[in-house]
Structure formats: C-alpha cells, structure tokens
Amino acid sequence: MNIYLVLLIIFAIIAIVALIYFSGFNKLKKYKEKMDKAESLIDTNLNKKLDLIININSEVKKVTGKKDYLKEYISIRDLIIQNIEKDLKLEEAEKLINDLMTDFIELNNDVEFNNLIKNLRDIDEILVSAKNMFNQNAVLSNQLIKTFPNNIVAKISKFRIRSFYSNNKTDDGETF
C-alpha cells in the first residue's frame, strides 16, 4: 500500500511539472507566433514601400524632367539587409521625397504623384501598427522568459529574449 502512495505522489508531481511546462510553452509559442506575424507584415509592407518609392521616382522624373533623385534608395532591392536597415533607408528616401515636394511645386499638382504619396502614407500607418504589435508581444514574451518557472521552459525550448523593433538600445536586448 505504501508503494502505491509513493507512485501516486510521483505521478502527481510529474503531471504538475508537465502541466507547468506545457502551459509556459504554449504562452511563449503564442507570443512568438504573433511576433513572426508582425515581422512578416513589416517585411511585406517594406517591400511595398520600396515599390512605391520606385514608382514615385519615375513620376518625379516624368514631372520634373530631372535626374534620378532616388536611385540610391532603389538599389536597396538588390541588397540583402535586415528589415531595420531597409526601414531606415526607406525613411531617408521618404524625407528626400518630402524635400522634392517642397522644391518642385509642380509635383503637388500631379494626380498620380499624389496618389502614390497617399499610398505611401497608408503603408507607413500599417508599418507603425505592425512594429507596435511586434514590440508589445516582445515585451510580454521577454517578461515571461524572465520569470520562474517560464525561464526554465524557455531555456529547454530554446526561446530567447527578443529585441525590440526600434533604433534605441534597451535593457531587454539590442536593436532588432
């Protein structure tokens, strides 16, 4: 009778440990999937933004009859760079486009150019939302990874602290 009680206690302990492990694993997996979805959304929209900048460059050349102002930024399509670098380059291109709008008033009167600019602003809104979604889930995931017993689950399952999608250094990781 004593052996059955010992086996029951061992079985109960194993069941509790398994429950804790799978509960923590499922939470971490959920945050990872949300971050992956946000990264995919960021990647897709950065590529759309690059396509728009290429179209804007063509429209600028057509309207102004001038040189290829955005050539440097268009060439990033051929580079293998991380999204954060691509994002920074595309933000620089967007600043240049804003400067061109100031320098060439006729661009503001061009319907096609204005449609492209509107689409660019729409993509920027989507990117901001996707970055926020990524960062919110990174915060929750990182907090979970740092707490007991989830830190053990994370180590066993190879979940790692995720960096935020920003240009600032943080306590939770390097830049993304």
Side-chain angles (χ1 to χ4, degrees):
M1 178 112 168
N2 212 4
I3 209 146
Y4 291 119
L5 183 61
V6 170
L7 287 175
L8 183 63
I9 291 172
I10 291 173
F11 179 74
I13 291 171
I14 291 172
I16 290 170
V17 168
L19 182 67
I20 291 170
Y21 175 83
F22 288 116
S23 174
F25 179 84
N26 286 336
K27 288 177 190 173
L28 289 167
K29 184 74 171 167
K30 176 181 76 170
Y31 293 129
K32 182 184 181 317
E33 288 173 359
K34 287 181 178 182
M35 287 184 289
D36 290 346
K37 181 179 178 183
E39 280 181 313
S40 176
L41 194 58
I42 290 167
D43 186 52
T44 300
N45 281 286
L46 285 176
N47 288 327
K48 285 181 182 179
K49 187 173 183 176
L50 179 58
D51 291 340
L52 271 174
I53 287 174
I54 291 169
N55 292 338
I56 288 170
N57 186 53
S58 298
E59 196 63 26
V60 167
K61 286 191 320 190
K62 185 174 82 175
V63 171
T64 64
K66 303 284 180 178
K67 64 179 187 171
D68 210 354
Y69 288 102
L70 300 166
K71 185 178 183 178
E72 172 190 344
Y73 303 103
I74 292 169
S75 66
I76 67 170
R77 178 183 298 282
D78 301 328
L79 301 176
I80 299 173
I81 57 176
Q82 290 184 340
N83 280 344
I84 188 71
E85 295 174 68
K86 186 185 288 185
D87 193 18
L88 290 172
K89 284 286 191 188
L90 294 176
E91 283 180 19
E92 289 175 17
E94 206 168 343
K95 288 176 187 170
L96 180 58
I97 291 167
N98 289 331
D99 291 344
L100 290 171
M101 289 171 62
T102 304
D103 294 344
F104 298 101
I105 302 301
E106 57 268 21
L107 285 173
N108 295 318
N109 299 326
D110 186 72
V111 174
E112 181 62 26
F113 180 80
N114 285 321
N115 285 337
L116 293 169
I117 293 299
K118 181 192 176 307
N119 291 339
L120 191 62
R121 302 293 182 251
D122 292 344
I123 287 175
D124 283 341
E125 288 180 26
I126 293 169
L127 284 169
V128 167
S129 296
K131 290 173 191 176
N132 286 339
M133 184 171 90
F134 180 90
N135 288 341
Q136 288 169 354
N137 285 293
V139 165
L140 295 171
S141 175
N142 292 347
Q143 288 173 345
L144 203 58
I145 289 171
K146 290 178 180 179
T147 59
F148 181 81
N150 295 311
N151 57 351
I152 297 169
V153 173
K155 191 164 190 90
I156 291 170
S157 302
K158 297 187 170 127
F159 286 99
R160 304 218 184 291
I161 296 285
R162 294 296 296 263
S163 302
F164 302 119
Y165 197 98
S166 72
N167 299 331
N168 301 324
K169 300 282 183 194
T170 65
D171 291 338
D172 290 317
E174 296 295 312
T175 55
F176 173 67

